[in-house]
């Protein structure tokens, strides 16, 4: 007996073919999946490069650990040592604190910064009353004096004087309006009470040119002071007088000048005329004067 063949069985080859095709397509998709995943994955992190910088020579410098007020002795300053690149350190920076032993800070110093020699002095200005009275570009110099040259001591501290050079040939003014800083190492001004002590030395404040002029004059003769009013700013009308001028004949009455007085002493042949405020010997009576004889 013949068996009946189902029509569906006849299509089984096409199902098998269709199944083969789908397997092929799915296989392609599965094969491409790793590529898609790899494409979407984050890039690996970049590795930082190590930068090499040239090493500079360094030097250790002493620096204050805290701000330093002016007038502080170096021995009282607290220091620490900090390394600085050598090429950045100024040439006048202090590298050895022992070189400042005994010095005093003359300016306020900041903390943690290098020190400079210009900020220190080996003389404490607070204990040197003369130094702090010397302005920039001025100088202080000391001269030996006596009662005559120091105007009996009145040319003391605070006085204003003119400096004279006295030689056998002439007397000349070599410095005007010079202030006396101290007399016999005392800065106390001359008082109005008892007579001042006559000093043996005085220190005066002068310009650089005056300092050189006075020192050049010292070996040439005697140095003397002429005391002047501190408010007087007038210069000398004749800063030099020669010795031969004093040897001229005193016949000033007939030689000219303003004659404002005349005197003749009874029983004495000498006569004097007041010429330009100075009494000089006269040989004749001026024509504008008459004689009045007193009893």
């Amino acid at each position: 007996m013949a068996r009946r063949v189902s029509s569906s069985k006849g299509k089984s080859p096409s199902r098998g073919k269709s199944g083969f095709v789908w397997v092929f397509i799915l296989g392609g998709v599965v094969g491409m999946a790793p590529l898609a995943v790899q494409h979407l994955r984050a890039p690996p992190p970049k590795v930082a490069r190590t930068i090499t910088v040239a090493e500079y020579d360094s030097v250790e410098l002493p620096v204050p650990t805290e701000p330093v007020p002016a007038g502080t002795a170096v021995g009282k300053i607290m220091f620490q040592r900090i390394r600085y690149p050598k090429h950045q350190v100024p040439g006048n920076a202090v590298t050895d604190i022992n070189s400042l032993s005994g010095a005093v800070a003359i300016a306020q110093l900041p903390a943690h910064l290098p020190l400079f020699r210009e900020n220190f002095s080996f003389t404490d200005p607070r204990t040197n009353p003369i130094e702090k009275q010397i302005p920039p570009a001025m100088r202080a110099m000391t001269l030996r004096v006596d009662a005559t040259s120091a105007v009996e001591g009145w040319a003391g501290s605070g006085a204003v004087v003119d400096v004279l050079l006295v030689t056998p040939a002439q007397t000349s003014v070599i410095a005007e309006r010079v202030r006396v800083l101290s007399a016999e190492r005392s800065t106390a001004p001359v008082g109005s009470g008892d007579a001042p002590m006559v000093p043996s030395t005085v220190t005066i404040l002068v310009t650089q040119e005056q300092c050189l002029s006075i020192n050049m004059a010292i070996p040439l003769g005697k140095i003397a002071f002429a005391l002047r009013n501190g408010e007087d700013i007038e210069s000398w009308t004749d800063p030099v007088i020669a010795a031969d001028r004093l040897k001229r004949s005193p016949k000033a009455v007939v030689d000219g000048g303003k004659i404002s007085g005349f005197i003749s002493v009874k029983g004495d042949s000498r006569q004097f005329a007041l010429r330009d405020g100075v009494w000089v010997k006269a040989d004749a009576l001026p024509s504008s004067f008459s004689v009045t004889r007193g009893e």
Side-chain angles (χ1 to χ4, degrees), residues 71 104-106 121-132:
V104 176
I106 58 176
S121 172
F122 287 90
T123 302
D124 189 347
R126 299 173 303 172
T127 60
N128 190 333
I130 296 298
E131 182 179 343
K132 64 183 181 182

Side-chain angles (χ1 to χ4, degrees), residues 262-273 280-284:
F262 183 85
I263 187 173
S264 175
V265 181
K266 184 178 180 181
D268 193 330
S269 60
R270 293 178 298 174
Q271 303 177 109
F272 299 91
V280 296
K281 187 176 180 181
D283 292 341

